[in-house]
Amino acid sequence: KNWDMEASITDSLKCYSPVDRARVADAFQKCLASGEKYQMECRFTSLNGVEKWIRTGGQAFLEGHLIVQVLGYIQDITEEKKARDILQYKDNLLSAMGRLALVGGWEFDPVTGEGTWTDEVANVHGLPPAQKIALRDVLRLYMPESRSEFKAAVKSTIASGIAYDLELGFTTGAGEKKWVRTIGQPVFENGRVVRLQSSVQDITSIRESREKISHLNLVLQAILQINQLIVRETDSSVLIEKASALL
């Protein structure tokens, strides 16, 4: 009995999810017609009714300009897909929590200053997310005193292995003034600090609240002292002079 290729392909395609069936068929026909190889991940139901995720692909072989054979494969990636989905879910959850808490992280080589950071840290600094960053470029955003404090803390952590905990001020790429709290932990290999891993939290609103409270405390203290002057001083000119000095 002669093999019916079209019937075999049609039977095989029935195992694919309706969502994926058309693109598998299209990829196979392109491979058969032009030699364009393909690889994709699809939902698949086996002949005994088990739902799976598979990776399928195909490659054409030519003799001269004639396609004489197409070799394809199917690989069960159900467990791999589950593991990837779990990792993606956890990553999405951490990213969402980071956005809510305005917390992210960065890691860098203390010698070269090269490293990576999370999207949230990039957003806090008003810079586009990137796979690689150069610490020297980021530190240009920081106030001179904060920059010096950070460099001294990194140097101390490398020498002592003790974590740092700093509050640093900077101006974002968009010109907005902000404050972050960063806690850095050294990572050792063979007794040497090879990386610094830091959490970074936007504490701008916390700093602003502190400054407002501090200002209010000064105002209340001045009011209290003026009230005491009013009780004590009988000379109005002296009272005005002393009250002016408090304000």
Side-chain angles (χ1 to χ4, degrees):
K1 184 179 179 179
N2 293 330
W3 177 59
D4 188 336
M5 183 183 75
E6 289 189 7
S8 178
I9 293 171
T10 301
D11 290 341
S12 176
L13 285 173
K14 289 177 182 177
C15 295
Y16 288 87
S17 161
V19 177
D20 299 315
R21 195 175 297 154
R23 65 191 188 100
V24 173
D26 183 60
F28 178 79
Q29 291 300 329
K30 285 182 179 178
C31 182
L32 198 62
S34 65
E36 181 182 335
K37 65 180 180 180
Y38 66 93
Q39 178 177 287
M40 61 186 68
E41 295 181 2
C42 305
R43 285 145 292 199
F44 188 89
T45 303
S46 65
L47 293 176
N48 57 357
V50 179
E51 293 185 355
K52 299 182 178 188
W53 274 90
I54 59 123
R55 182 179 292 117
T56 183
Q59 183 171 355
F61 291 87
L62 290 76
E63 288 184 3
H65 296 290
L66 181 66
I67 296 173
V68 295
Q69 188 179 32
V70 174
L71 290 181
Y73 68 90
I74 291 178
Q75 178 188 7
D76 186 345
I77 59 166
T78 306
E79 295 305 315
E80 176 190 332
K81 184 71 167 58
K82 285 180 182 177
R84 278 195 275 128
D85 286 348
I86 291 171
L87 286 173
Q88 186 63 53
Y89 170 78
K90 290 181 177 180
D91 185 60
N92 290 342
L93 182 61
L94 285 172
S95 295
M97 291 173 64
R99 287 192 297 272
L100 288 171
L102 301 177
V103 176
W106 64 9
E107 177 182 85
F108 59 90
D109 184 320
V111 177
T112 66
E114 294 182 351
T116 59
W117 59 10
T118 63
D119 289 356
E120 185 56 37
V121 177
N123 292 336
V124 167
H125 286 80
L127 297 174
Q131 291 297 316
K132 297 291 183 181
I133 57 167
L135 192 60
R136 62 182 176 276
D137 295 333
V138 178
L139 286 179
R140 290 194 185 106
L141 301 174
Y142 282 74
M143 301 172 190
E145 60 272 22
S146 290
R147 192 183 311 140
S148 298
E149 187 179 1
F150 181 76
K151 287 180 177 179
V154 169
K155 186 176 180 180
S156 175
T157 296
I158 293 171
S160 66
I162 299 173
Y164 61 77
D165 186 344
L166 306 171
E167 292 188 4
L168 305 171
F170 64 97
T171 302
T172 70
E176 184 180 1
K177 294 188 182 300
K178 287 191 175 184
W179 283 85
V180 292
R181 182 185 181 189
T182 177
I183 302 173
Q185 296 281 353
V187 177
F188 292 90
E189 285 184 11
N190 301 319
R192 185 172 64 90
V193 177
V194 294
R195 291 191 308 281
L196 288 174
Q197 294 177 334
S198 303
S199 63
V200 180
Q201 181 181 17
D202 185 345
I203 60 166
T204 306
S205 60
I206 295 173
R207 292 279 304 206
E208 289 173 350
S209 296
R210 280 189 208 155
E211 290 173 5
K212 288 178 182 177
I213 291 170
S214 178
H215 176 70
L216 286 173
N217 284 335
L218 290 174
V219 171
L220 289 172
Q221 186 178 7
I223 291 171
L224 178 61
Q225 290 175 330
I226 289 171
N227 285 336
Q228 290 172 345
L229 281 173
I230 291 171
V231 173
R232 283 199 317 265
E233 290 293 340
T234 57
D235 188 326
S236 59
S237 60
V238 174
L239 174 62
I240 292 171
E241 182 182 350
K242 289 184 177 180
S244 298
L246 290 171
L247 296 174

